[in-house]
Amino acid sequence: MSRRPDAAVCGANFFDRPADRVARDLLGGWLVARTSEGTRRLVVTETEAYLGAHDLACHGRTGPTKRNATMFGPAGRWYVYLCYGMHWMLNVVTGPEGVPAAVLIRGAGELSGPGRLTRGLGIDRSLDGTLAGRRGAAWFELPEKPVAPRRILRTPRIGVGYAGEWAEKPLRFVLAHEPPIARTLK
DNA sequence: GCAGTGATCATA
DNA sequence: ATGATCACTGCC
């Protein structure tokens, strides 16, 4: 198995932090996934943070259920669920244990949109609950040098209009190709 | 702009 | 058992 000297696998400690920190720090890293067509390695370009039960956009807001159980578990596991009956959403759980927080991966490489991302990588519920913090079915790697802060845009999250004031919070993180003019984007 | 799609969950 | 909801996408 080849190792890349310029990248390090994100271990369990990386995820055991607030979701908005993890969401930001994943930008510019790589999502690596073993697929039926080989190992894909895609730059993470878009993420969203879901902070916990107090976050009215978060699945954990109504307490643990069968679907969201993984969110309440320890950090560093994949949380995958089906949305609109068609699209698998790929998340990674963040800490601490007992707090239903996670980061949604909305885009990586040429795959734009959370549903297209999982479709492109062949990801489904079978990944749910498995470890993201090691070289398993899928994992993250980070470059030695983090991306410049000015390349990171923050906006409100997509598709959470039901969440009241929490719909407005700038918890979506987008990696810009060039340094943006403003720090926020509509 | 809105239909498709079906598991999940609250309600009963 | 039933109906509403839904962290989206593609085609109109």
Side-chain angles (χ1 to χ4, degrees):
Chain A
M1 179 139 329
S2 64
R3 291 206 166 228
R4 294 181 64 115
D6 60 329
V9 175
C10 291
N13 290 344
F14 176 86
F15 302 103
D16 197 9
R17 298 183 297 146
D20 52 339
R21 294 289 304 274
V22 174
R24 185 193 67 186
D25 290 348
L26 283 174
L27 291 183
W30 293 274
L31 170 63
V32 190
R34 301 190 207 274
T35 75
S36 59
E37 302 180 352
T39 300
R40 304 280 306 275
R41 199 162 185 273
L42 305 173
V43 175
V44 177
T45 58
E46 185 179 344
T47 59
E48 282 179 356
Y50 291 83
L51 301 186
H54 62 293
D55 175 357
L56 297 184
C58 182
H59 280 175
R61 66 188 180 278
T62 55
T65 66
K66 184 174 181 182
R67 179 178 72 159
N68 67 20
T70 302
M71 284 189 97
F72 288 82
R77 293 180 184 270
W78 296 110
Y79 167 49
V80 182
Y81 69 92
L82 188 65
C83 186
Y84 293 100
M86 286 173 280
H87 310 293
W88 296 103
M89 300 289 108
L90 177 66
N91 304 255
V92 61
V93 177
T94 65
E97 184 169 3
V99 173
V103 172
L104 170 67
I105 311 303
R106 292 191 60 90
E110 78 283 4
L111 300 174
S112 178
R116 290 175 183 159
L117 174 71
T118 53
R119 173 183 288 267
L121 294 176
I123 286 170
D124 61 23
R125 182 97 210 200
S126 65
L127 196 65
D128 182 74
T130 66
L131 296 176
R134 63 180 186 81
R135 295 181 181 226
W139 65 92
F140 292 106
E141 296 179 10
L142 289 187
E144 280 190 7
K145 297 195 62 165
V147 300
R150 55 189 301 153
R151 289 185 63 197
I152 298 177
L153 307 174
R154 296 184 61 158
T155 83
R157 293 169 292 187
I158 305 297
V160 296
Y162 56 85
E165 64 176 7
W166 280 91
E168 314 299 325
K169 310 242 183 225
L171 293 172
R172 173 172 172 250
F173 299 81
V174 182
L175 181 65
H177 291 288
E178 302 295 332
I181 295 173
R183 283 294 300 261
T184 57
L185 180 73
K186 281 284 166 61

